[in-house]
Structures are given as C-alpha cells and as structure tokens.
Amino acid sequence: MNNFNSGKERFVYYLEIQGSNRNKFYLQSGVSNGALDKKTGLTEATILKIFEIYPDISLDWLLLGIGEMNRQPQPDPGTAQAMIDKISELSAKLALLEKENQELKEKLKYASAKIHKAVNTSL
C-alpha cells in the first residue's frame, strides 16, 4: 500500500495510474502549471477541476487517504427498485414452490404407505 502525505501526492499517483501526468492535467483543466508542485494543499477550485475531469476518483481517498482510489458505482435508483421488485416476485414464486413441494411430499408419503400396505397384504 502506498503512503502519501497529501492529496496532491495521491492525485499525482492517480494520474500515473491513468496513464496521464501533471502537464496533461494542467492543459485539460486550466489549472495553473505548478499548482500540484506547491507545498500548499489542494485548493477548492483544483479539487472541483479534478472531479470534473476524473469523476471516478474517490474524494475520500483523494482528500483523506481513506478507502479505494476509485469511487464505487452506486446503483441507479430505478435499477435498485427493479431489483427489489424482482426479489419480491421471486420470493412469492419460492413460497408457492415450497407449498407445492410440501404437498407433493405428503402425496408421495401417502402413496408410499399405500404401496407398502398392498405389498404386505399380498405376502
């Protein structure tokens, strides 16, 4: 695990992982050259530019060094609701199948007992 002292160090590392560099970032963002080299922390404007260009970067990781470098995708609320609906539908089907399974077990037990009785009487 890499130990970084600042958000700037983490961001420069992120750029390397992305196959980019400071100069490309400066050109893309309009942030002044050398902004990532200064000893001061990341400015709010720079953070906004970073997130605008790299929306997948985790701000917790960038600013605090916590968690993963990339944000974890959040499910679309519509997709989440569709999944909840599907789970409810499957749960209802499961309940019906369990009931049917229990009924079939009882029928099988009854038929088995009947066959067993018939075999024993004929002997």
Side-chain angles (χ1 to χ4, degrees):
M1 187 70 178
N2 294 308
N3 293 322
F4 301 102
N5 294 322
S6 70
K8 285 183 181 181
E9 289 178 4
R10 282 186 285 279
F11 182 60
V12 170
Y13 175 73
Y14 176 86
L15 288 173
E16 291 172 11
I17 297 298
Q18 297 299 313
S20 190
N21 60 45
R22 298 168 199 225
N23 291 329
K24 286 181 185 177
F25 172 69
Y26 295 144
L27 288 171
Q28 287 180 304
S29 66
V31 170
S32 62
N33 289 354
L36 297 175
D37 299 319
K38 295 178 184 173
K39 297 290 182 198
T40 59
L42 291 169
T43 66
E44 182 178 339
T46 302
I47 293 168
L48 290 173
K49 288 292 185 179
I50 290 170
F51 198 64
E52 181 181 309
I53 296 169
Y54 302 102
D56 65 324
I57 193 169
S58 165
L59 292 179
D60 287 339
W61 176 80
L62 177 66
L63 301 176
L64 306 171
I66 297 172
E68 299 296 320
M69 182 186 321
N70 292 312
R71 293 183 331 138
Q72 300 304 312
Q74 298 298 315
D76 178 335
T79 304
Q81 186 58 51
M83 290 173 70
I84 290 168
D85 293 345
K86 188 66 174 176
I87 289 169
S88 295
E89 177 188 331
L90 291 172
S91 182
K93 284 182 180 181
L94 177 62
L96 288 172
L97 289 171
E98 287 175 338
K99 182 180 177 187
E100 182 181 11
N101 189 30
Q102 187 59 37
E103 289 170 357
L104 289 171
K105 282 181 180 179
E106 289 173 14
K107 286 180 180 180
L108 181 60
K109 184 178 177 182
Y110 175 75
S112 180
K114 213 172 174 184
I115 291 169
H116 183 69
K117 186 178 179 182
V119 168
N120 283 339
T121 2
S122 65
L123 294 176

